[in-house]
């Protein structure tokens, strides 16, 4: 393996924490004996192009510095290539880092963990989801949650969990159930009336909301959470339980496990890893071991 690795930096993540974190992270990696180069881009498309060039050029690892948006972009460059991914998590939500037990807002600890993994196991295989040509690591959202996501992503402040709390309150005024058509593992299509359907490769989104609380990233399956039709009062009762994952026991919530899921509904846009994916219908499938993740602990975060 080459000893040169690539820092993939979002300088604006966490109100500038990305740029600030890159310096101590690079220093820690160099202290561990690695050559480090940095790539950024004027926009997401340019940044992704440069990351893919680094992977094609044989970089020993791509290390994403930023939040879940930067991790999502990095996944598009490394998934299925064999090039390992490191994560310096300094964003507002950092759900991918939470799901994989990586250090959060500690760039030196994260960099040292990445260096040790590169010198040791070379990265742990973890699953990814794929919808069309897009890879995702955490949760694919559709319904009320994707509307909240869309609103939350337009908000400049506050950051992290509170942003999505406020976006949710704003979306409650337009709360209505959606008539989905859903198929699991290529089985028969069935109609499902729901407030939302979330497809989890990992447990959480939105800065720690454990919508698919039992999901882990190395079982080859999605955890699919269906929140049925409910009133605003019921949703407000269920919502605080999402952070603990205890909402799964509520009467309006059902769960499924499957390696693939097809969803169709009128007028819905799906989000994955907090990024706009596109309108339904879509099919998402798990790809076991699609990513080699650096610095992950022996047991991925789960129930």
């Amino acid at each position: 393996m080459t000893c040169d690795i690539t820092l993939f930096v979002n300088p604006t993540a966490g109100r500038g924490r990305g740029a600030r974190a890159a310096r101590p992270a690079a220093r820690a990696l160099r202290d561990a004996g690695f050559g480090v180069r940095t790539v950024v881009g004027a926009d997401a498309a340019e940044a992704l192009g440069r990351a893919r060039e680094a992977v094609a050029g044989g970089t020993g690892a791509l290390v994403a510095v930023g939040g879940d948006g930067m991790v999502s972009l990095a996944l598009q460059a490394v998934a299925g290539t064999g090039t390992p991914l490191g994560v310096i998590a300094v964003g507002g939500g950092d759900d991918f880092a939470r799901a994989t037990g990586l250090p959060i807002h500690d760039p030196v600890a994260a960099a040292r963990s990445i260096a040790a993994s590169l010198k040791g196991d070379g990265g742990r295989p973890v699953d990814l989801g794929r919808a069309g040509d897009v890879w995702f690591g955490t949760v694919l959202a559709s319904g009320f949650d994707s509307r909240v996501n869309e609103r939350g992503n337009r908000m400049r402040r506050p950051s992290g969990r509170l942003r999505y709390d406020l976006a949710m309150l704003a979306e409650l005024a337009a709360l209505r159930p959606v008539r989905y058509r859903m198929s699991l593992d290529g089985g028969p299509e069935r109609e499902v009336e729901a407030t939302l359907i979330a497809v989890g490769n990992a447990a959480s989104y939105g800065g720690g909301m454990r919508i698919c609380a039992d999901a882990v990233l190395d079982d080859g399956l999605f955890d699919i959470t269906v929140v049925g039709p409910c009133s605003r009062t019921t949703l407000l009762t269920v919502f605080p339980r999402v952070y603990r994952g205890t909402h799964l026991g509520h009467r309006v919530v059902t769960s499924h496990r499957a390696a693939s899921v097809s969803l169709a509904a009128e007028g819905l846009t799906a989000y994955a890893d907090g990024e706009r994916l596109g309108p339904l219908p879509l099919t998402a499938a798990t790809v076991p071991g699609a990513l080699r993740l650096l610095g992950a602990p022996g047991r991925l975060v789960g129930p």
Side-chain angles (χ1 to χ4, degrees):
M1 174 185 292
T2 179
C3 62
D4 292 327
I5 61 179
T6 303
L7 283 187
F8 186 39
V9 181
N10 179 359
T12 65
R15 298 181 182 178
R17 282 196 299 267
R20 293 193 297 272
R23 291 188 290 271
R27 187 163 51 248
L29 290 166
R30 291 188 178 106
D31 288 346
F34 294 96
V36 179
R37 65 184 292 260
T38 299
V39 297
V40 296
D43 53 31
E46 182 180 329
L48 178 56
R50 291 184 176 182
R52 284 175 166 157
E53 287 174 3
V55 170
T59 187
L62 187 69
V63 178
V65 184
D68 285 323
M70 201 61 176
V71 173
S72 176
L73 206 58
L75 291 180
Q76 313 314 311
V78 301
T81 68
T83 299
L85 176 70
V87 176
I88 310 291
V90 291
D94 297 317
D95 286 290
F96 186 81
R98 294 173 198 275
T100 50
L102 300 176
I104 295 173
H105 293 180
D106 191 339
V108 172
R112 288 173 176 167
S113 180
I114 289 165
S117 186
L118 277 168
K119 292 178 178 180
D121 60 15
R124 176 172 178 174
V126 298
D127 304 342
L128 294 177
R130 191 171 191 180
D133 294 329
V134 179
W135 298 89
F136 64 96
T138 56
V139 177
L140 186 155
S142 72
F144 178 77
D145 53 357
S146 65
R147 292 183 179 124
V148 170
N149 213 333
E150 193 148 36
R151 180 180 290 270
N153 285 347
R154 293 196 303 265
M155 295 168 64
R156 296 288 184 180
R157 58 182 65 180
S159 63
R161 167 175 165 173
L162 184 56
R163 175 188 301 175
Y164 291 90
D165 290 355
L166 295 177
M168 186 208 71
L169 292 174
E171 286 296 323
L172 276 172
L175 181 67
R176 62 190 185 278
V178 174
R179 187 167 297 278
Y180 289 87
R181 300 185 304 281
M182 180 173 74
S183 171
L184 303 179
D185 289 332
E189 189 176 76
R190 52 182 167 164
E191 287 197 351
V192 179
E193 193 172 57
T195 300
L196 66 86
I197 297 178
V199 179
N201 183 56
S204 71
Y205 59 6
M209 292 190 287
R210 295 176 57 79
I211 187 68
C212 301
D214 293 337
V216 291
L217 286 93
D218 58 358
D219 63 354
L221 296 171
F222 290 132
D223 279 42
I224 300 155
T225 299
V226 179
V227 178
C230 58
S231 67
R232 294 180 182 87
T233 299
T234 299
L235 190 59
L236 286 171
T237 300
V238 173
F239 176 74
R241 298 169 61 172
V242 172
Y243 288 100
R244 302 186 302 275
T246 57
H247 64 291
L248 295 180
H250 195 278
R251 60 180 173 77
V252 301
V253 179
T254 57
S255 300
H256 310 272
R257 280 189 173 151
S260 67
V261 56
S262 296
L263 297 173
E266 296 296 326
L268 274 188
T269 297
Y271 274 69
D273 289 343
E275 302 298 312
R276 197 176 195 275
L277 183 60
L280 272 56
L282 60 77
T283 297
T286 51
V287 184
L291 175 68
R292 287 171 56 209
L293 181 65
L294 296 166
R299 179 180 181 274
L300 297 178
V301 176

